[in-house]
Structure formats: C-alpha cells, structure tokens
Amino acid sequence: MFKTKLIATVLAGALYAAGASAAWSPEKPVEFVVTSGAGGGTDIFTRTIQSIIVKNKLMNVPIVVVNKGGGAGSEGYIHGASEQDNPHRVTFGTNNEYLLPLVAKMGYAAEGFTPVAALALDEFLIWVNAKAPYADAKSFIDAAKKGDGLRMGGSQSKDTDQTLVSIISEATGAKFTYIPFKSGGEAAIQLAGAHIDANVNNPNENIGQFKANMVRPLCVFSTKRMAPGPKISKDMAWSDIPTCKESGIPVDNYQMPRTIWLPSGVAPEVLAFYTDVMHKVQETPEWKAYIERTSQTGTFLSGDELRKYITADTARAYGVFKREGWLAK
Amino acid sequence: MRTPSGTLVSRFTMELVTALVTGSIGAIVCYGSTEFGIGWGDAGPEPGYFPFYVGLIIVLASLFNLFMAFKHYRDRVEEFLTGEQAQRVIAFFGPMVLFVLVTSYLGIYVGMILYLVGAMVFQGGYRLPKAAAVGVITAIANYILFEVWFQVPLLKGPLEPLIGIH
Amino acid sequence: MDNFSNLMDGFAIAFSMFHLALMAAGVLLGILVGVLPGLGAPNGVSLLLPLTFTMDPVSAIILLTSMYWGALFGGSTTSILFNIPGEPSSVATTFDGYPMAQQGHATHALTLAFMSAGTGAMFGVVVITVLSGWVTEFALKFSSPEYFAVFLLTFASFIGMGSGSAFKAIVSMMLGFAFATVGMDGISGNMRLTFGFPDLVKGISFLVAVIGLFGIGELLQTMEEGLRFDGIHARVRIRDVLKAIASMPGHWLTLLRSAIIGAWMGITPGGPTAASFMSYGLAKRFSRRKEHFGKGEPAGVVAPETADHSAGTCAILPMLALGVPGSATAAVMMGGLMIWGLTPGPMLFIERPDFVWGTIASMYLGNVMAVVLVLATVPMFAAILRIPFSIIGPMIVVVCFIGAYSISGSRLDLWLAVPFGILGYTFKKLGYPIAPMVLAMVLGDKAEDALRQSMIMSKGSLGIFWTNSTLSATIMVLAMLLLFWPGVSLIIKRLRKPAVAATA
C-alpha cells in the first residue's frame, strides 16, 4: 500500500518535472466555455476566474468567455468536447458534467473531458419562508411526513436540487412534491412569495431574501457549520445555522463542486499548465473574497484526488437516479 | 392551359406543396414526441403531451388547408411565380446558398469575400479590383468588430491560420 | 416624497462629466450591438463587464444600463429600414414600421419609434421611482399559475387578428410551438425532438428563425418584385422629424396603454418581447383603423416601441429589489452586481441607497441622451440605403448569416436560417401570418413550463388557474374576454339594440 503510493508519488513527480521541462503555454486566445447562461452561478465563477487571471497576468494570451447554457449546460459541454485535441478551450461547470449524461441523451460523453480542478464547493441549505411555523429542521421534516407532504422548489429537473430532495425523502421518510424552476433565483422568489414551502438553494441564491428576513435557513448539508462572520439577517450569521446532521436529518454531506475541464485528448503538459494556473488563482486574495462573498467552501482538488471525488459523487447520484427511475434508457 | 403564359409555378401547386410540407413537419413532431409519454399523469401533462398534440393539430390544419387548396385554387388561374420572377429569385438565392456552403467549409470570412465579390462583379457589373476591395474591407471590418472588439468568435476555416489569425 | 428626495440625491451622484461621458459611450455602443442581429444587449453587456471590475459600482451600472438603452433603440432601426429585427423585442416593430419605410416614410417611422420608446422608458422610470416599494410586493404575488395566465392573456390579445384563413394562422402558431419544444424540457429534464442531433440540444433559436423569416424572406420578396429598395426614399428632412414629433400627442391612448402593459410585463418577468407583442395586439384590436395595421399604420409602431422600452426599463427594478432579472440583459447585469460585491435584493435599497438611486437617476438622463443620440444616427442609416442594391443586398445577407452564426456559434444555425427564409417567403405569399409563429416561439416553452409547474402544484387539476389567487382568476377572465371578444362584442351589440328600441 505504502509502496504503491510512493511509486505513484514519484511517478507523478517525474511527470510533473517532465511537464515542467517541456512546459506548454497557450499560443492563441483561450476560450472559456461557460455551461450556464449569463448571470448564473457558473457564469460568475468563470468571470471571477477570468478577472483574476487578467488582473494578475497569470496567462499571456487574451481570454474569450462564451456562454453556452442551452439544455441545462449540455450545449456548453458538447461544444467543449467537440475538438478533442484543442488545448485552447477550457470548459467551466459543476458536477453536471458527469451527472447530465446519466439522465438523458446529451450529445456528449462524460469521458470526453479530463478534469482539471475543482475550486469551490457550494453548500446546500434547507430554506423556508420567514413566516413559516417550523422552528427547526426536525419540525419541518415532521410536517412533511403528514398528508401529501410539502412543496419543494428548486432549479432544473433531475439536477442537484431534485437529487438532494430525493435523498432527504429517502433518509427521513418525509414527502415532498418537487417543482422545477428555471433557476435557483426563481425558486428563491417563489419561496419569498410563499408559493412553495421550502427550497434547497445555495447560500448565494437566497442571500438577498435572507438579508431582508423574508426567508430563513433551517440547516446546512455539511459536516461542519459554515465559516463565522457578521450577522446576515437581523439575528443570524452563516455560522449560526446548524448542520442538518445535528438537527436530526441523517444526511451528513451534500455539496456541489465548481469544476474546470479540458477535452480528454489534450497532452499532459497542457493539463499541467491549466492546473498550475488554477492553483495560482485560488491563492489570490480576490479568490478568497469571492469564496467569502458567495459563502462557498474553498478547496483545491486536482489529479487523482479529483478523479476519486468524481467517482464517489457519480456513484452516489447513480444510486438516487436508479431509485427514482431517472436513468436514461 | 389553365395557367397564364410565363407562369412557372401556380398558386395551386404552391398551396399543395406548403400544406404537405407543414403536414409532414407535424407528423415528424408527433412521431418524435412519442419517445416520452404523451399522456396526462398525476403531475399534469407528460413531456410528450404538448408536442404530440401540437403536431396533431398541425397535421389536421394542414389537411384542411390542402382541402381548401383544392376547393379554391384548382380551377383558378393564379400564378405563384412567373419565369421572370423565378429567374430573379434564383439569381439571388443561388449565390446565397453557395455562400452558406462555402462558409461551412472555409469559414465565414472567406465565404463573405467570395460572395460579395461574386455578387458585385456578376450582378452589379463592377470591376474586379473595386469588388475585391469592398469584399476585403467588409471582412476586415467584421473581424475587427466581432473578434477584436466584441470578442465573439465567428466561424473560421482552414485558411485563416495560414495568415496567423485564430 | 421620501423617494423624491432620494432621487434628488441620486441625481447629484449620477450627474457628473465622467458619468455623462460613460452614458454617451454606453448608448453609442448599445446602438451598434442593437443594430446588428445576433449581437444583442446581453452580448454587449457581458463584453463590457470585465471593464467594470475596476470601476465603482455606480459608474459601472451607468455604463451597462446606458448600453442597454442604446441596444433597445438600435434594435428598432433595422426593423424599420430592413425588416430585420436587431433585437427580439423589436420584432413587432417590423409589422408596421417596415411598410411605412417602404412607402417612403422611413424618417417618420424612425422618429415615431424613438419618441415612443423614449416616452415608454420615461414612464417606466417614473413607475420605478414612485412605486418601488409596492412593485416588489406585487411581483412576489406571481407564481406559476399567474404566469401562465399572463402568457394566455398575451396569446389571447394576439389571436384572431389576422384577416386571412384561420387554419393557416393555426398552422403557423403551432409550428412556432413545435419549434419551441425542441431541446431540453425544463420540467422533466428530457431531450425532446432532437432526433439525435447534438446541435439541436440547445433548441431552435428564436433569433435564427426571425433572421430567416423576416430578413431573408423579405430579401427574396424584394428580389422577386425587382424593387431593389427603390420604394424607400431615405431623404432625411428635419420637417419630417418635427412632423412626427408633433403627431405624438395624437397617440396618447396607445402610448398610455402600451406603457402600462410594458411596466407590468417588465415587473413580472414576461419580458419586453411579450410586452411589445401584447401591446401591438391590443392597439390593433381597439383601433378604429384596424384594417390599416400591418400596412404602415403609425400606431402600429408606437404601440410595440412604447411597451418594449417601458418593459425594458421596469425590468431593472425586480433585478435590484428582488434579485429576479426581468430580461436576459438584466440577468447579465445582476451577475455584474454580484461581482462588484453588491447583493441584489430588498436590502440593497437600504444598504446602498446611493447605488440604487444613482442608478435610477441615471436612467432618466440615459434615456434622454439615448433619444438624442439615436435621432442623430438616422441620417447615417438613411445613407446606407443609398448604396446600390447589388452591394447592400449581399451585405445584408452577410450580416444576417453572421447574426445567425454568432448567436450560439453553431454551423447548423447557418443552415437553419435558409429554410426559415424560404418558409417566410412562401408563407407571406400564400397568406400564412408569420407573427403567430414568432410569438409562439418566444412564449411557447415559458407558457408550457408555467402550465406544467402549476399542474405539479395542483396534482393535475386545471382548476388551479381559477382558484389559486384572485390575481390569476382576474387575468384568466381578461384572457377569456379577449379570446372570445368577437363573440362578446356581438352579444353586447345585440343587448344594446333592444334596449335602445325599448327606450325609443
């Protein structure tokens, strides 16, 4: 065990050295493909990285950002994988890269990409309307066990939100009717208007309503509480939100990685170049400010570590999709 | 001879063709929507419900249009296109399709230069140097506007890299 | 009055040489992207976004919103002169704007369009200023059943407008619905009607269809008639501009109605495109000159333009106050807000009044500036029309196809524009109306989503539209009234006659 790990390390080191000696750098403008529409979470993620790269001169060529958010992002992935040896096209997304092809014929294969890095993990919370009678996650789940259950809204269909709702149902026996909206922002407004009972939005999607005391978080799907900071609403800071596990929902962790991809046909030194750039990006103060502002968890996964994460994440989603009968025929 | 002299396509023919084309689109839509359920389930309409009935309505309405074509236009002398008109339309439409064809293989810049030069020389009667100048200037202006200024990449073919444009 | 003093503070912030220069630059760039089909306001705004990272947020939003105004104005120009809508929301402007231009009233049409647009925008800003608090609450009342009711109302206001065969109108509208369903189904996550073509996954772009149906279809027709734009006398005379401005008060009812429709559709995300269609439909329906619509009726230019700009302006409010963008461009700007470190939402008004009111104040200034600048571009566009057709014709073709390609960088879209062109040409000659198809393509999938979301809420019962809220029931009643208007007006006439007879 130890030995194989050592060999792997040495090999990786050697590869890295080889990559460094034959260092690759882009020869023409690099295209950043955003797999969401303008203004979406992935769009802000990409443009933040673009602004950091430009400001800190981390690349010596211009960057062209293109939005291809059609078909829940599949338009972008199809484009990103269409030229398998194109080293000047980087695709930005979430875990939908490997989850979308499971539920429908998307026109691209998850294997068409090689993962570069995951730079952030976005949290999921249970949110209810501020006037709702549920004091904590437990009373919310109890209410959802009665009768027809509760209305839960979310972004897109058979995507991260609906998957989480299914996981909660499975773990607790609560019943939810899931209503898919176009975006998390729409689900946020529907909750603020009390048209739905709850949503599982990311912090950034609900922060406006949270600040205005229109919606209230019950718990966060993470192993530990979120980073402490100033009060956001009149009486709560992010760190005051209990984890779902401590509130009695046996789901200890559910996060969405923000990921960066290259076509799988590119050379290892190309991969090494972009991995290095992204590593530098996440060390800048601007990046830390972005993480803090959007209440995400900063991370840096690449190489084998990232592959392992993807395999585990896929396996978990596969189980849910299979149970729900969502898998593409 | 029911059609007036010079008529290439009669209104009747065109009504028929159009109704058949829209009807076939409707049929394709119906067929495509059966891939997912077309019923009305617990959660309202299934994914194929709308496209299926939309397709069905297209088919039915097209059949009605077909019937109306027979009723109104079969014995009427009305042209859709005279030979002279057809010539003018084709003289415009043909080069346009060629332009799209060239564009899909050689990129939009090469396509637009050839198309503009061709149209100016053969249809406008301009001399080649002038036409070439207009074509090249248009291409450069578009390049600057789209790629440099607005950073919207346009379709490029195998020729652009030769002069160092990516 | 609180809002008024806030607004004055806002003017103090917005009114500086630097900001005025930014506005001018934004408006001019906006006109440019608005004029080119395929390059739209969202493109322009996302392009400028990186530039704003180093600016302070007020200057940044002024630049972006000014660009938006410019694009809205620019979109109308090509609609009127070439029958090519530069922006989706200016499609309805082509219906009467282009015929006016063909009859030699291009200057009149353009001036009318810009003046109505300016009026609509001003109305929108006033609504924002006065009603900002109340509007937020109103927007929160909308859920899927209410949205569906709104979409139904839009369709209802447009149905039964054509004078030709009803079955041809049905084919046209249903084709539009069918094209709108291609691609991912938002409710089930399935890929519909793509037949295995990866390029169809993103759906059939409404803009590609419009470029084909209107732009190329019109060129084919022009060629067939051998017209070569001779019909358009593009001479710009100041007298024409003044005459058009002087005729504005005569349209006060259309202006008011369209501005209200626009404000409503901008606040509730129906969007500027739906607003312009709906207001065109209603203007025609309530007009005494019904039969002149589509043949160059000035009110047919005033109505969609006013609503378009009123909606575009009002769309900024839900973005600031709720974090829901009322239009695609507003969505991009919202992304910008977040990158600048602001959180859109109700608290923005309290936390950063300087930003909010500075923005609102700049909307007054920006729109006035946009009207002036865009009027100044009229002679330039008119000059384009004097170029011989053997040059300008192919150039329009090139612009159309560049537009079709640049929408999503897809080769298939180039090829799709061709059959849409043939369709547009054939449909027009055979008396199939094109407007219902365009409308169905814009609103079809949104209406379907809203309906199916409602059905999930109600577990498959259609009664939800009547029982969900008084709001949805009211809109449904309005929609039904409009839908059956011909019948209803007949009944009213019948009822009136005996009454008159009885009194006599």
Side-chain angles (χ1 to χ4, degrees), chain C residues 3 24 44 50 107 110 123 125 139 153 190 212 292 352 396 407 421 455 475 493 496:
Chain C
N3 283 0
T107 314
L110 285 173
F123 182 87
V125 198
L153 182 64
N190 289 317
H292 292 273
R352 293 294 302 270
I396 296 174
I407 291 160
M455 290 297 100
I475 305 172
K493 260 187 208 153
R496 236 186 229 165

Side-chain angles (χ1 to χ4, degrees), chain A residues 38-39 44 51 68 72 74-75 105-106 148 157-158 177 179-180 182 189-190 195 207 209 211-212 214 293, chain C residues 53 140-143 184 186-188 191 201-202 322 324 331-332 338 343 346-347 351 408 449 453 457:
Chain A
I44 296 167
S51 74
K68 286 181 180 288
S74 54
E75 180 193 359
K105 279 180 276 182
M106 285 297 167
D148 280 345
S157 177
K158 298 173 188 170
T177 305
I179 303 159
K182 277 262 175 295
I189 299 309
Q190 292 296 311
H195 302 292
I207 187 169
Q209 286 70 35
K211 271 189 176 176
M214 294 162 95
R293 200 168 61 235
Chain C
F53 292 155
L140 276 181
K141 286 200 184 359
F142 276 73
S143 184
M184 177 170 270
I187 304 295
S188 72
M191 284 295 173
V201 161
K202 64 179 192 305
L322 286 171
V324 222
V332 187
M338 291 182 188
T343 312
M347 294 308 281
E351 285 174 351
S408 56
D449 280 358
Q453 282 158 0
M457 292 179 183

Side-chain angles (χ1 to χ4, degrees), chain A residues 127 203-212 232 238 293 295, chain C residues 343:
Chain A
W127 301 86
N204 202 37
E205 291 169 330
N206 263 19
I207 187 169
Q209 286 70 35
F210 183 31
K211 271 189 176 176
I232 306 291
W238 289 113
R293 200 168 61 235
S295 309
Chain C
T343 312

Side-chain angles (χ1 to χ4, degrees), chain C residues 487-502:
Chain C
V488 173
S489 63
L490 208 70
I491 293 170
I492 294 175
K493 260 187 208 153
R494 286 255 171 87
L495 284 178
R496 236 186 229 165
K497 253 189 201 152
V500 173

Side-chain angles (χ1 to χ4, degrees), chain A residues 70-71 75, chain C residues 182-184 198-205 408 410 412-413:
Chain A
E75 180 193 359
Chain C
V182 173
M184 177 170 270
D199 270 0
L200 282 179
V201 161
K202 64 179 192 305
I204 295 179
S205 162
S408 56
S410 154
L412 183 74
D413 284 348

Side-chain angles (χ1 to χ4, degrees), chain A residues 114-313:
Chain A
T114 196
V116 177
L119 258 65
L121 296 171
D122 213 346
E123 306 286 352
F124 287 82
L125 294 87
I126 296 182
W127 301 86
V128 292
N129 188 291
K131 296 194 187 77
Y134 321 112
D136 50 23
K138 198 177 166 306
S139 60
F140 171 75
I141 293 292
D142 287 341
K145 284 180 182 165
K146 289 186 203 111
D148 280 345
L150 295 174
R151 279 182 192 173
M152 187 80 105
S155 151
Q156 313 276 8
S157 177
K158 298 173 188 170
D159 203 356
T160 44
D161 285 0
Q162 198 175 2
T163 307
L164 176 57
V165 171
S166 167
I167 291 176
I168 301 172
S169 293
E170 178 71 9
T172 61
K175 289 188 285 286
F176 296 107
T177 305
Y178 180 81
I179 303 159
F181 294 97
K182 277 262 175 295
S183 66
E186 232 175 276
I189 299 309
Q190 292 296 311
L191 184 61
H195 302 292
I196 51 177
D197 296 305
N199 69 29
V200 286
N201 270 354
N202 307 127
N204 202 37
E205 291 169 330
N206 263 19
I207 187 169
Q209 286 70 35
F210 183 31
K211 271 189 176 176
N213 302 304
M214 294 162 95
V215 299
R216 185 154 54 86
L218 293 181
C219 68
V220 54
F221 290 93
S222 179
T223 39
K224 56 179 198 299
R225 290 191 178 203
M226 295 165 72
K231 294 249 182 288
I232 306 291
S233 72
K234 65 177 187 293
D235 52 3
M236 266 181 131
W238 289 113
S239 53
D240 295 329
I241 306 165
T243 68
C244 290
K245 187 127 194 211
E246 65 182 275
S247 334
I249 299 176
V251 179
D252 52 314
N253 199 1
Y254 191 85
Q255 288 162 321
M256 179 175 75
R258 298 215 174 269
T259 53
I260 297 155
W261 305 83
L262 277 168
S264 55
V266 298
E269 49 271 27
V270 175
L271 181 61
F273 170 80
Y274 288 109
T275 312
D276 185 47
V277 168
M278 293 309 157
H279 192 260
K280 283 177 188 151
V281 163
Q282 57 94 38
E283 281 173 339
T284 59
E286 293 94 340
W287 179 255
K288 298 205 163 94
Y290 160 79
I291 290 289
E292 198 176 315
R293 200 168 61 235
T294 52
S295 309
Q296 302 186 73
T297 304
T299 181
F300 188 77
L301 295 175
S302 65
D304 284 341
E305 218 181 346
L306 180 55
R307 279 171 202 283
K308 235 182 257 167
Y309 179 92
I310 292 170
T311 314
D313 202 26

Side-chain angles (χ1 to χ4, degrees), chain B residues 47 50 80 88 104 155, chain C residues 192 224 405 411 429 451 459:
Chain B
F50 280 103
F80 179 79
R88 281 201 294 256
S104 8
L155 188 59
Chain C
R192 296 190 298 189
E224 179 209 291
Y405 179 80
R411 234 186 223 117
K429 287 202 77 176
L451 174 71
K459 305 207 184 312

